[in-house]
Amino acid sequence: MANAQGKHITPKVLKGFRDLLPESMIPKKKIIRTLERVFESFGFSPIDTPALEYTEILLGKGSGETDKQIYRFEDHGGRDVALRFDLTVPLARFVSQHFSELVFPFKRYHIAPVWRGENTQKGRYREFYQCDFDILGSDSINADFEILHVIRSGFEAIGCKDYMIHINHRRLLNAILAKFGKEAETQKILQTIDKIYKVGRDEVVRILIEDEGMNADTVNGILAILRLNENFSKDGVKGKEIFTVLEKIRDEIEDKTAADELLTIFRNLEKCGVLEHFAYNPAITRGLDYYTGIVFESFITDKMEFGSVCSGGRYDNLTGLYSKNAVPGVGASFGLDRLLSVLEDKQMLTKKNSVADVIIFNLDDSFIADYYLLAQRMQSAGINCEIVLSKSKLGNQFKLAERHGIRYALIAGGDEFDAERFNLKDIFSAEEKKAISIEEIITEIQTNKKVNS
């Protein structure tokens, strides 16, 4: 590309942003479709909101650190606008604005890009996709329970079995801090504790004592009741021990509501036979300011270094910022790009440059209409079909199919059309079935898709 002066512009993208080639976008779209099916199986409906919001809608709804990361500018009309940093705050604005049009409980999902000007690292970019799902208008603990089930179902559907969902409760943390007379300093203390996996326990203690001016006995007391001692585990508390630990914490605090809710959640998970994928983790606090109840983060157990790939919690006051209708809510978000990075690292993604299941070779341009008629029959059966647009040597057409990663090639000329019997080559195995009907070809490809889906 050349500019007005005739000089070519160097093609490049901003730091933290990236182009996605088909081999990256195909598995991404596949996971999106999979998660959409999971969300809809629980009755969640899709919505969309603008990428740009008035800045006042977004500021002060995440955390001080998040506010610094917002992409903010003045548009051509002189309006102060910003790119959304997540999908939850726009949801609160959406629900407040369309309150009279919605039926509650309102269950929505939203899969779209968000932007944060944060430091980039493996699996973390400045433009990234979130896959959000929320229940608005219910303060029942059963709504929290359902969100956890959707997370579990999402991991199972994408074929990832080695995952753990770590759960905590902001009100439980508040009750523990109240025990030490620190309820007025809840936010800064919890945001510091939330960093314990990144910076370590000693650094958390140092920050709270030296930077925040807290008494050493108070800090150690808070961490002790949270079981964040020198030997704390990043794996959290699992199995039957969950109930022992939570019962003991319950006995030590005045407000027992949050402990009771956590115990109810874990007992129901045990009853459903899925407790093995859940843990109570006292270090999970979720740094965003708007969380008010249960919070959770999910990890791939052998790739903990990637961080949480699905997180969320309850936020009962967020919509009250925009209207008199304070709607309780709970939800979670799969971080799609980080999840893809984990799956790629685990070699769970199939690299393909094409979504086609079969390619129809072009033996002669005079057959082009016949090729499209064959393609229509396969497409009607749910088979993605590509047609070679120009006649060339068969060897070149096979190379094209191999480069695209297309498994099947359908080969047909004049005699095959007359007999309505065609040749199907499995490029991966080099096996070829000759003189078979289009119905047999469809069955062969559909069977393979089911086995490999």
Short mmCIF file of all heavy atoms in Angstrom, two decimals, residues 240-285:
data_model
loop_
_atom_site.label_atom_id
_atom_site.label_comp_id
_atom_site.label_asym_id
_atom_site.label_seq_id
_atom_site.Cartn_x
_atom_site.Cartn_y
_atom_site.Cartn_z
N LYS A 240 -13.57 -33.50 51.13
CA LYS A 240 -14.28 -33.40 52.41
C LYS A 240 -13.70 -32.32 53.32
O LYS A 240 -14.39 -31.78 54.19
CB LYS A 240 -14.22 -34.76 53.12
CG LYS A 240 -14.95 -35.89 52.42
CD LYS A 240 -16.46 -35.70 52.53
CE LYS A 240 -17.18 -36.92 51.96
NZ LYS A 240 -18.68 -36.75 52.03
N GLU A 241 -12.41 -32.00 53.10
CA GLU A 241 -11.78 -30.99 53.94
C GLU A 241 -12.45 -29.62 53.79
O GLU A 241 -12.39 -28.78 54.70
CB GLU A 241 -10.29 -30.88 53.60
CG GLU A 241 -9.50 -30.02 54.58
CD GLU A 241 -8.04 -29.86 54.20
OE1 GLU A 241 -7.62 -30.46 53.18
OE2 GLU A 241 -7.32 -29.14 54.92
N ILE A 242 -13.08 -29.39 52.64
CA ILE A 242 -13.79 -28.13 52.41
C ILE A 242 -14.77 -27.86 53.55
O ILE A 242 -14.83 -26.75 54.10
CB ILE A 242 -14.54 -28.16 51.06
CG1 ILE A 242 -13.55 -28.18 49.90
CG2 ILE A 242 -15.50 -26.97 50.94
CD1 ILE A 242 -14.20 -28.42 48.54
N PHE A 243 -15.55 -28.87 53.90
CA PHE A 243 -16.60 -28.70 54.90
C PHE A 243 -16.01 -28.48 56.30
O PHE A 243 -16.50 -27.65 57.06
CB PHE A 243 -17.53 -29.92 54.88
CG PHE A 243 -18.10 -30.19 53.51
CD1 PHE A 243 -17.64 -31.24 52.74
CD2 PHE A 243 -19.08 -29.37 52.99
CE1 PHE A 243 -18.15 -31.48 51.48
CE2 PHE A 243 -19.61 -29.59 51.73
CZ PHE A 243 -19.14 -30.65 50.96
N THR A 244 -14.90 -29.17 56.59
CA THR A 244 -14.24 -28.99 57.88
C THR A 244 -13.71 -27.56 58.03
O THR A 244 -13.92 -26.92 59.06
CB THR A 244 -13.07 -29.99 58.01
OG1 THR A 244 -13.56 -31.33 57.85
CG2 THR A 244 -12.38 -29.86 59.36
N VAL A 245 -13.06 -27.07 56.99
CA VAL A 245 -12.47 -25.72 57.04
C VAL A 245 -13.55 -24.66 57.13
O VAL A 245 -13.47 -23.73 57.95
CB VAL A 245 -11.58 -25.50 55.80
CG1 VAL A 245 -11.18 -24.03 55.69
CG2 VAL A 245 -10.33 -26.37 55.87
N LEU A 246 -14.58 -24.77 56.31
CA LEU A 246 -15.63 -23.76 56.31
C LEU A 246 -16.43 -23.75 57.62
O LEU A 246 -16.82 -22.68 58.11
CB LEU A 246 -16.58 -23.98 55.13
CG LEU A 246 -16.02 -23.54 53.76
CD1 LEU A 246 -16.99 -23.92 52.64
CD2 LEU A 246 -15.76 -22.04 53.72
N GLU A 247 -16.64 -24.92 58.18
CA GLU A 247 -17.35 -24.99 59.47
C GLU A 247 -16.52 -24.30 60.55
O GLU A 247 -17.07 -23.59 61.42
CB GLU A 247 -17.62 -26.45 59.86
CG GLU A 247 -18.66 -27.16 59.01
CD GLU A 247 -20.10 -26.77 59.37
OE1 GLU A 247 -20.29 -25.88 60.22
OE2 GLU A 247 -21.03 -27.35 58.78
N LYS A 248 -15.21 -24.48 60.51
CA LYS A 248 -14.35 -23.86 61.52
C LYS A 248 -14.35 -22.34 61.36
O LYS A 248 -14.42 -21.60 62.35
CB LYS A 248 -12.93 -24.41 61.41
CG LYS A 248 -12.03 -23.95 62.56
CD LYS A 248 -10.70 -24.70 62.55
CE LYS A 248 -9.85 -24.25 63.74
NZ LYS A 248 -8.54 -24.95 63.77
N ILE A 249 -14.27 -21.86 60.11
CA ILE A 249 -14.32 -20.41 59.87
C ILE A 249 -15.66 -19.86 60.34
O ILE A 249 -15.73 -18.79 60.96
CB ILE A 249 -14.09 -20.09 58.38
CG1 ILE A 249 -12.65 -20.43 57.97
CG2 ILE A 249 -14.38 -18.62 58.09
CD1 ILE A 249 -12.36 -20.25 56.50
N ARG A 250 -16.72 -20.59 60.05
CA ARG A 250 -18.07 -20.16 60.44
C ARG A 250 -18.15 -19.92 61.95
O ARG A 250 -18.79 -18.98 62.41
CB ARG A 250 -19.08 -21.21 60.00
CG ARG A 250 -20.55 -20.83 60.25
CD ARG A 250 -21.47 -21.98 59.86
NE ARG A 250 -22.86 -21.58 60.00
CZ ARG A 250 -23.53 -21.59 61.14
NH1 ARG A 250 -22.92 -21.95 62.27
NH2 ARG A 250 -24.80 -21.22 61.18
N ASP A 251 -17.50 -20.78 62.71
CA ASP A 251 -17.53 -20.66 64.18
C ASP A 251 -16.78 -19.43 64.67
O ASP A 251 -17.01 -18.97 65.79
CB ASP A 251 -16.93 -21.92 64.82
CG ASP A 251 -17.81 -23.15 64.61
OD1 ASP A 251 -19.02 -22.97 64.34
OD2 ASP A 251 -17.28 -24.28 64.71
N GLU A 252 -15.87 -18.88 63.84
CA GLU A 252 -15.00 -17.79 64.29
C GLU A 252 -15.51 -16.40 63.90
O GLU A 252 -14.92 -15.40 64.30
CB GLU A 252 -13.59 -17.99 63.72
CG GLU A 252 -12.90 -19.25 64.23
CD GLU A 252 -11.46 -19.34 63.75
OE1 GLU A 252 -10.74 -18.34 63.86
OE2 GLU A 252 -11.06 -20.42 63.26
N ILE A 253 -16.58 -16.32 63.10
CA ILE A 253 -17.04 -15.02 62.63
C ILE A 253 -18.48 -14.76 63.10
O ILE A 253 -19.23 -15.69 63.40
CB ILE A 253 -16.97 -14.91 61.09
CG1 ILE A 253 -17.76 -16.05 60.44
CG2 ILE A 253 -15.53 -14.90 60.63
CD1 ILE A 253 -17.75 -16.02 58.93
N GLU A 254 -18.84 -13.48 63.13
CA GLU A 254 -20.17 -13.11 63.61
C GLU A 254 -21.23 -13.28 62.54
O GLU A 254 -22.29 -13.88 62.79
CB GLU A 254 -20.15 -11.66 64.10
CG GLU A 254 -21.46 -11.20 64.72
CD GLU A 254 -21.37 -9.81 65.31
OE1 GLU A 254 -20.24 -9.32 65.53
OE2 GLU A 254 -22.43 -9.20 65.53
N ASP A 255 -20.99 -12.75 61.33
CA ASP A 255 -21.94 -12.88 60.23
C ASP A 255 -21.68 -14.20 59.52
O ASP A 255 -20.68 -14.36 58.83
CB ASP A 255 -21.78 -11.71 59.25
CG ASP A 255 -22.79 -11.76 58.10
OD1 ASP A 255 -23.58 -12.72 58.04
OD2 ASP A 255 -22.78 -10.83 57.27
N LYS A 256 -22.58 -15.16 59.71
CA LYS A 256 -22.37 -16.52 59.21
C LYS A 256 -23.05 -16.77 57.86
O LYS A 256 -23.00 -17.89 57.33
CB LYS A 256 -22.87 -17.52 60.24
CG LYS A 256 -22.21 -17.33 61.62
CD LYS A 256 -22.69 -18.38 62.61
CE LYS A 256 -22.18 -18.08 64.02
NZ LYS A 256 -20.70 -18.04 64.10
N THR A 257 -23.70 -15.75 57.28
CA THR A 257 -24.48 -15.93 56.05
C THR A 257 -23.63 -16.48 54.91
O THR A 257 -24.02 -17.43 54.23
CB THR A 257 -25.11 -14.60 55.62
OG1 THR A 257 -25.85 -14.05 56.70
CG2 THR A 257 -26.02 -14.79 54.43
N ALA A 258 -22.48 -15.86 54.69
CA ALA A 258 -21.64 -16.27 53.56
C ALA A 258 -21.10 -17.68 53.74
O ALA A 258 -21.06 -18.47 52.78
CB ALA A 258 -20.48 -15.29 53.40
N ALA A 259 -20.71 -18.03 54.95
CA ALA A 259 -20.22 -19.39 55.21
C ALA A 259 -21.33 -20.40 54.94
O ALA A 259 -21.08 -21.47 54.35
CB ALA A 259 -19.73 -19.51 56.65
N ASP A 260 -22.56 -20.07 55.34
CA ASP A 260 -23.69 -20.97 55.09
C ASP A 260 -23.94 -21.13 53.60
O ASP A 260 -24.25 -22.23 53.12
CB ASP A 260 -24.95 -20.44 55.79
CG ASP A 260 -24.88 -20.59 57.30
OD1 ASP A 260 -24.13 -21.46 57.78
OD2 ASP A 260 -25.59 -19.83 58.00
N GLU A 261 -23.82 -20.02 52.84
CA GLU A 261 -24.04 -20.11 51.39
C GLU A 261 -22.97 -20.97 50.72
O GLU A 261 -23.30 -21.79 49.84
CB GLU A 261 -24.04 -18.70 50.78
CG GLU A 261 -25.29 -17.90 51.13
CD GLU A 261 -25.36 -16.58 50.40
OE1 GLU A 261 -24.32 -16.14 49.83
OE2 GLU A 261 -26.45 -15.98 50.39
N LEU A 262 -21.72 -20.80 51.13
CA LEU A 262 -20.66 -21.63 50.57
C LEU A 262 -20.88 -23.10 50.90
O LEU A 262 -20.70 -23.98 50.04
CB LEU A 262 -19.30 -21.17 51.08
CG LEU A 262 -18.67 -19.96 50.39
CD1 LEU A 262 -17.37 -19.57 51.08
CD2 LEU A 262 -18.42 -20.23 48.92
N LEU A 263 -21.26 -23.38 52.13
CA LEU A 263 -21.50 -24.77 52.53
C LEU A 263 -22.64 -25.37 51.70
O LEU A 263 -22.57 -26.53 51.28
CB LEU A 263 -21.82 -24.84 54.02
CG LEU A 263 -20.60 -24.67 54.95
CD1 LEU A 263 -21.05 -24.39 56.38
CD2 LEU A 263 -19.71 -25.92 54.91
N THR A 264 -23.69 -24.58 51.45
CA THR A 264 -24.80 -25.06 50.62
C THR A 264 -24.33 -25.37 49.20
O THR A 264 -24.68 -26.42 48.63
CB THR A 264 -25.92 -24.00 50.57
OG1 THR A 264 -26.42 -23.79 51.89
CG2 THR A 264 -27.06 -24.45 49.66
N ILE A 265 -23.54 -24.46 48.63
CA ILE A 265 -23.01 -24.67 47.28
C ILE A 265 -22.21 -25.97 47.21
O ILE A 265 -22.42 -26.82 46.32
CB ILE A 265 -22.13 -23.48 46.85
CG1 ILE A 265 -22.97 -22.25 46.55
CG2 ILE A 265 -21.25 -23.85 45.65
CD1 ILE A 265 -23.67 -22.25 45.22
N PHE A 266 -21.28 -26.14 48.13
CA PHE A 266 -20.40 -27.31 48.07
C PHE A 266 -21.16 -28.61 48.35
O PHE A 266 -20.86 -29.65 47.76
CB PHE A 266 -19.23 -27.14 49.03
CG PHE A 266 -18.15 -26.23 48.51
CD1 PHE A 266 -17.89 -25.00 49.11
CD2 PHE A 266 -17.38 -26.58 47.41
CE1 PHE A 266 -16.90 -24.15 48.63
CE2 PHE A 266 -16.39 -25.74 46.92
CZ PHE A 266 -16.15 -24.53 47.53
N ARG A 267 -22.16 -28.56 49.24
CA ARG A 267 -22.95 -29.77 49.50
C ARG A 267 -23.74 -30.18 48.26
O ARG A 267 -23.85 -31.37 47.94
CB ARG A 267 -23.89 -29.53 50.68
CG ARG A 267 -23.18 -29.56 52.04
CD ARG A 267 -24.08 -29.07 53.15
NE ARG A 267 -23.36 -29.02 54.44
CZ ARG A 267 -23.59 -28.13 55.39
NH1 ARG A 267 -24.55 -27.20 55.22
NH2 ARG A 267 -22.90 -28.14 56.51
N ASN A 268 -24.28 -29.19 47.55
CA ASN A 268 -25.03 -29.50 46.34
C ASN A 268 -24.11 -30.00 45.22
O ASN A 268 -24.49 -30.88 44.44
CB ASN A 268 -25.81 -28.28 45.87
CG ASN A 268 -27.04 -28.03 46.72
OD1 ASN A 268 -27.61 -28.95 47.28
ND2 ASN A 268 -27.46 -26.77 46.81
N LEU A 269 -22.90 -29.45 45.14
CA LEU A 269 -21.94 -29.95 44.16
C LEU A 269 -21.56 -31.39 44.47
O LEU A 269 -21.43 -32.23 43.57
CB LEU A 269 -20.68 -29.07 44.16
CG LEU A 269 -20.85 -27.65 43.61
CD1 LEU A 269 -19.61 -26.81 43.88
CD2 LEU A 269 -21.14 -27.69 42.10
N GLU A 270 -21.42 -31.70 45.76
CA GLU A 270 -21.12 -33.07 46.16
C GLU A 270 -22.28 -33.99 45.80
O GLU A 270 -22.07 -35.10 45.28
CB GLU A 270 -20.85 -33.12 47.67
CG GLU A 270 -20.48 -34.52 48.18
CD GLU A 270 -20.24 -34.53 49.68
OE1 GLU A 270 -21.01 -33.88 50.41
OE2 GLU A 270 -19.28 -35.21 50.11
N LYS A 271 -23.50 -33.54 46.03
CA LYS A 271 -24.68 -34.34 45.72
C LYS A 271 -24.79 -34.62 44.22
O LYS A 271 -25.25 -35.69 43.79
CB LYS A 271 -25.94 -33.63 46.20
CG LYS A 271 -27.20 -34.49 46.14
CD LYS A 271 -28.37 -33.78 46.80
CE LYS A 271 -29.61 -34.67 46.79
NZ LYS A 271 -30.76 -34.00 47.46
N CYS A 272 -24.35 -33.66 43.40
CA CYS A 272 -24.38 -33.83 41.94
C CYS A 272 -23.21 -34.68 41.43
O CYS A 272 -23.12 -34.97 40.23
CB CYS A 272 -24.36 -32.47 41.24
SG CYS A 272 -25.91 -31.55 41.39
N GLY A 273 -22.31 -35.05 42.32
CA GLY A 273 -21.19 -35.90 41.93
C GLY A 273 -20.08 -35.21 41.18
O GLY A 273 -19.32 -35.85 40.45
N VAL A 274 -19.96 -33.87 41.36
CA VAL A 274 -18.94 -33.12 40.61
C VAL A 274 -17.98 -32.37 41.52
O VAL A 274 -17.21 -31.52 41.06
CB VAL A 274 -19.61 -32.14 39.62
CG1 VAL A 274 -20.39 -32.90 38.55
CG2 VAL A 274 -20.51 -31.14 40.35
N LEU A 275 -17.98 -32.68 42.82
CA LEU A 275 -17.16 -31.93 43.77
C LEU A 275 -15.67 -32.00 43.45
O LEU A 275 -14.91 -31.09 43.78
CB LEU A 275 -17.41 -32.44 45.20
CG LEU A 275 -16.73 -31.66 46.33
CD1 LEU A 275 -17.22 -30.22 46.36
CD2 LEU A 275 -16.98 -32.35 47.68
N GLU A 276 -15.26 -33.06 42.77
CA GLU A 276 -13.83 -33.23 42.46
C GLU A 276 -13.28 -32.10 41.61
O GLU A 276 -12.06 -31.88 41.56
CB GLU A 276 -13.62 -34.56 41.73
CG GLU A 276 -14.31 -34.63 40.38
CD GLU A 276 -14.08 -35.96 39.67
OE1 GLU A 276 -12.92 -36.38 39.60
OE2 GLU A 276 -15.07 -36.54 39.20
N HIS A 277 -14.14 -31.36 40.93
CA HIS A 277 -13.69 -30.26 40.07
C HIS A 277 -13.81 -28.90 40.74
O HIS A 277 -13.66 -27.86 40.08
CB HIS A 277 -14.47 -30.25 38.76
CG HIS A 277 -14.09 -31.35 37.83
ND1 HIS A 277 -12.83 -31.45 37.27
CD2 HIS A 277 -14.79 -32.42 37.36
CE1 HIS A 277 -12.78 -32.52 36.49
NE2 HIS A 277 -13.94 -33.12 36.53
N PHE A 278 -14.09 -28.89 42.05
CA PHE A 278 -14.28 -27.63 42.76
C PHE A 278 -13.43 -27.58 44.02
O PHE A 278 -13.15 -28.62 44.62
CB PHE A 278 -15.75 -27.44 43.13
CG PHE A 278 -16.65 -27.25 41.94
CD1 PHE A 278 -17.15 -28.35 41.25
CD2 PHE A 278 -16.97 -25.99 41.49
CE1 PHE A 278 -17.97 -28.18 40.14
CE2 PHE A 278 -17.80 -25.80 40.39
CZ PHE A 278 -18.30 -26.91 39.71
N ALA A 279 -13.01 -26.36 44.38
CA ALA A 279 -12.20 -26.17 45.58
C ALA A 279 -12.62 -24.89 46.27
O ALA A 279 -13.08 -23.94 45.63
CB ALA A 279 -10.72 -26.11 45.22
N TYR A 280 -12.49 -24.87 47.60
CA TYR A 280 -12.62 -23.62 48.34
C TYR A 280 -11.23 -23.01 48.40
O TYR A 280 -10.28 -23.64 48.84
CB TYR A 280 -13.15 -23.87 49.76
CG TYR A 280 -12.92 -22.68 50.68
CD1 TYR A 280 -13.51 -21.44 50.40
CD2 TYR A 280 -12.10 -22.78 51.81
CE1 TYR A 280 -13.28 -20.34 51.21
CE2 TYR A 280 -11.88 -21.69 52.63
CZ TYR A 280 -12.47 -20.48 52.34
OH TYR A 280 -12.23 -19.39 53.14
N ASN A 281 -11.12 -21.78 47.91
CA ASN A 281 -9.81 -21.13 47.88
C ASN A 281 -9.89 -19.76 48.53
O ASN A 281 -10.41 -18.81 47.94
CB ASN A 281 -9.30 -20.99 46.45
CG ASN A 281 -7.83 -20.63 46.38
OD1 ASN A 281 -7.33 -19.93 47.25
ND2 ASN A 281 -7.14 -21.10 45.36
N PRO A 282 -9.39 -19.61 49.76
CA PRO A 282 -9.49 -18.34 50.49
C PRO A 282 -8.68 -17.21 49.88
O PRO A 282 -8.85 -16.05 50.27
CB PRO A 282 -8.97 -18.71 51.89
CG PRO A 282 -8.10 -19.90 51.67
CD PRO A 282 -8.72 -20.67 50.55
N ALA A 283 -7.78 -17.52 48.94
CA ALA A 283 -6.97 -16.47 48.32
C ALA A 283 -7.66 -15.82 47.12
O ALA A 283 -7.19 -14.81 46.61
CB ALA A 283 -5.62 -17.04 47.88
N ILE A 284 -8.75 -16.42 46.66
CA ILE A 284 -9.49 -15.85 45.54
C ILE A 284 -10.37 -14.72 46.06
O ILE A 284 -11.30 -14.95 46.83
CB ILE A 284 -10.36 -16.91 44.85
CG1 ILE A 284 -9.50 -18.06 44.31
CG2 ILE A 284 -11.21 -16.28 43.75
CD1 ILE A 284 -8.54 -17.66 43.22
N THR A 285 -10.08 -13.49 45.66
CA THR A 285 -10.89 -12.35 46.10
C THR A 285 -11.49 -11.58 44.93
O THR A 285 -12.44 -10.85 45.11
CB THR A 285 -10.06 -11.36 46.95
OG1 THR A 285 -9.16 -10.64 46.11
CG2 THR A 285 -9.29 -12.11 48.03
#
